[in-house]
Amino acid sequence: MRYASGMTSACRKTTFLICQFWLIVWDVGRREQARETFNDALRNRNRYGLLAEDIHHRTGELWGNFPQTYSMAGLIFTAMRLSRSWEDRLWRG
């Protein structure tokens, strides 16, 4: 439906933010690079620390639904994965 409604131009200009967090989680084996990418992702938040659904490639402008739960959940989950010792204590007692 989204593509049939004529929104394709916006879709080509923006990236679904949760995908950036999936990339970081996938790359967690290379911890320093994953942390760098995570810090870049954090720069996309607004002054209240919230994220939208999409981000414009060139301008960094937040697009789409705001605030976006998927993006925020991706941020939290990724922070947990990068904080392995904290995660171990939480999940393994």
Side-chain angles (χ1 to χ4, degrees):
M1 269 324 247
R2 183 174 186 171
Y3 299 106
S5 67
M7 292 179 64
T8 55
S9 63
C11 294
R12 286 190 301 254
K13 295 177 186 173
T14 63
T15 300
F16 198 43
L17 276 171
I18 195 168
C19 294
Q20 186 173 18
F21 293 114
W22 290 339
L23 175 66
I24 297 166
V25 169
W26 175 79
D27 206 23
V28 81
R30 295 183 293 184
R31 224 167 201 34
E32 289 307 312
Q33 185 174 351
R35 284 186 188 280
E36 234 175 83
T37 307
F38 184 70
N39 286 329
D40 287 343
L42 292 178
R43 289 186 192 98
N44 296 322
R45 296 174 298 161
N46 72 358
R47 64 182 174 185
Y48 302 109
L50 300 174
L51 292 168
E53 179 178 22
D54 297 293
I55 188 165
H56 191 276
H57 300 298
R58 291 194 180 116
T59 66
E61 182 180 11
L62 297 173
W63 285 42
N65 295 328
F66 183 84
Q68 177 55 257
T69 302
Y70 293 133
S71 298
M72 298 305 296
L75 183 146
I76 292 166
F77 179 74
T78 304
M80 288 175 60
R81 295 293 296 151
L82 288 173
S83 302
R84 192 63 186 185
S85 62
W86 177 83
E87 185 182 53
D88 283 344
R89 283 193 305 269
L90 177 68
W91 300 114
R92 291 173 182 78

